[in-house]
């Protein structure tokens, strides 16, 4: 009886896990939420999830000449040196390539390469969706709120940019542009 219960539990867990794991087949990535990403797809950028409004899960491509390398970090903040800037919020970029990294043993993380000219960026797709840095249709947002890293409401984002303006990070013009973008979203 115990063996049957263990096998049943493993079977249920296996089915649940395989339904929610991202899959990469025929040059198309199906995310854990069912959103399909492929080359030449237009992706809309959301808002950055770092305190200064920059992006945590969209950063300079690791193989780029412009990628910042340091053993001590950029003023102690190595990720911020390579982060996608907040001024890119609301813009649309074409996917140049889907890049799986990892192994079958340790699992894969999937990145989408975007950019223009010499400057390329990579999006950690799963985390960017969960944090709101990548805008996907509502039906492809994580269903379980515990899967969402930082889904903000319009009012949360307005408050955030107001604080950035008050602290001098954003100018009045930048604040108005960001505010208009947020208010025009559905």
């Amino acid at each position: 009886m115990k063996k049957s219960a263990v096998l049943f539990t493993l079977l249920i867990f296996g089915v649940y896990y395989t339904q929610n794991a991202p899959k990469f087949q025929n040059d198309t990535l199906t995310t854990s939420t069912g959103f399909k990403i492929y080359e030449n797809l237009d992706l809309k950028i959301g808002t950055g999830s770092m305190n200064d409004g920059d992006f945590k899960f969209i950063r300079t491509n690791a193989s780029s000449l412009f990628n910042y390398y340091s053993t001590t970090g950029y003023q102690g903040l190595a990720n911020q040196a390579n982060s996608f800037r907040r001024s890119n919020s609301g813009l649309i970029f074409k996917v140049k390539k889907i890049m799986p990294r990892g192994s079958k043993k340790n699992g894969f993380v999937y990145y989408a390469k975007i950019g223009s000219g010499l400057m390329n960026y990579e999006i950690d797709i799963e985390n960017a969706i969960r944090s709101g840095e990548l805008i996907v249709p509502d039906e492809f947002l994580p269903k379980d709120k515990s899967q969402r890293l930082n889904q903000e409401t319009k009012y949360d984002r307005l408050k955030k940019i107001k604080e950035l303006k008050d602290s001098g990070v954003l100018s009045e013009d930048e604040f108005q542009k960001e505010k208009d973008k947020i208010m025009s979203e559905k």
Side-chain angles (χ1 to χ4, degrees):
M1 183 65 180
K2 278 188 177 182
K3 285 182 183 179
S4 297
V6 169
L7 284 173
F8 181 73
T9 303
L10 289 174
L11 178 65
I12 295 300
F13 177 74
V15 169
Y16 174 78
Y17 179 74
T18 57
Q19 288 175 344
N20 291 315
K23 292 179 182 75
F24 187 58
Q25 279 183 304
N26 302 326
D27 298 327
T28 299
L29 173 68
T30 304
T31 67
S32 61
T33 63
F35 184 57
K36 294 186 186 304
I37 298 177
Y38 46 87
E39 287 183 30
N40 294 317
L41 175 71
D42 287 334
L43 291 178
K44 185 169 183 181
I45 305 302
T47 56
S49 61
M50 291 201 295
N51 289 340
D52 64 356
D54 284 348
F55 291 78
K56 182 175 184 176
F57 301 108
I58 306 176
R59 55 192 166 270
T60 307
N61 184 272
S63 62
S64 172
L65 294 172
F66 301 103
N67 192 28
Y68 180 82
Y69 294 97
S70 171
T71 55
T72 58
Y74 172 75
Q75 299 171 351
L77 306 166
N79 194 45
Q80 287 183 332
N82 290 315
S83 67
F84 202 52
R85 301 293 172 230
R86 65 183 169 270
S87 58
N88 292 309
S89 292
L91 297 180
I92 295 175
F93 288 86
K94 279 204 183 302
V95 174
K96 290 183 172 183
K97 183 178 181 179
I98 304 293
M99 304 175 301
R101 293 192 189 139
S103 66
K104 282 187 177 183
K105 180 180 178 184
N106 296 322
F108 289 94
V109 175
Y110 297 94
Y111 294 87
K113 182 178 179 181
I114 62 169
S116 59
L118 294 174
M119 198 64 183
N120 290 301
Y121 296 91
E122 59 189 25
I123 302 173
D124 176 345
I125 297 170
E126 291 291 322
N127 285 319
I129 290 171
R130 286 187 202 115
S131 67
E133 290 187 359
L134 187 60
I135 303 294
V136 297
D138 287 344
E139 68 262 26
F140 298 114
L141 287 174
K143 305 289 184 244
D144 182 3
K145 288 187 180 188
S146 67
Q147 287 183 345
R148 297 181 188 187
L149 295 177
N150 189 20
Q151 286 295 327
E152 295 178 307
T153 67
K154 275 186 185 184
Y155 303 106
D156 293 331
R157 294 190 349 250
L158 286 169
K159 181 180 176 189
K160 188 178 188 180
I161 65 167
K162 173 76 166 91
E163 289 169 356
L164 290 170
K165 181 185 146 245
D166 292 345
S167 66
V169 173
L170 290 178
S171 69
E172 181 64 34
D173 288 340
E174 290 172 319
F175 170 75
Q176 287 301 326
K177 285 179 187 175
E178 291 297 318
K179 180 181 164 191
D180 292 344
K181 277 186 210 174
I182 292 168
M183 295 308 291
S184 67
E185 292 175 8
K186 291 186 177 183

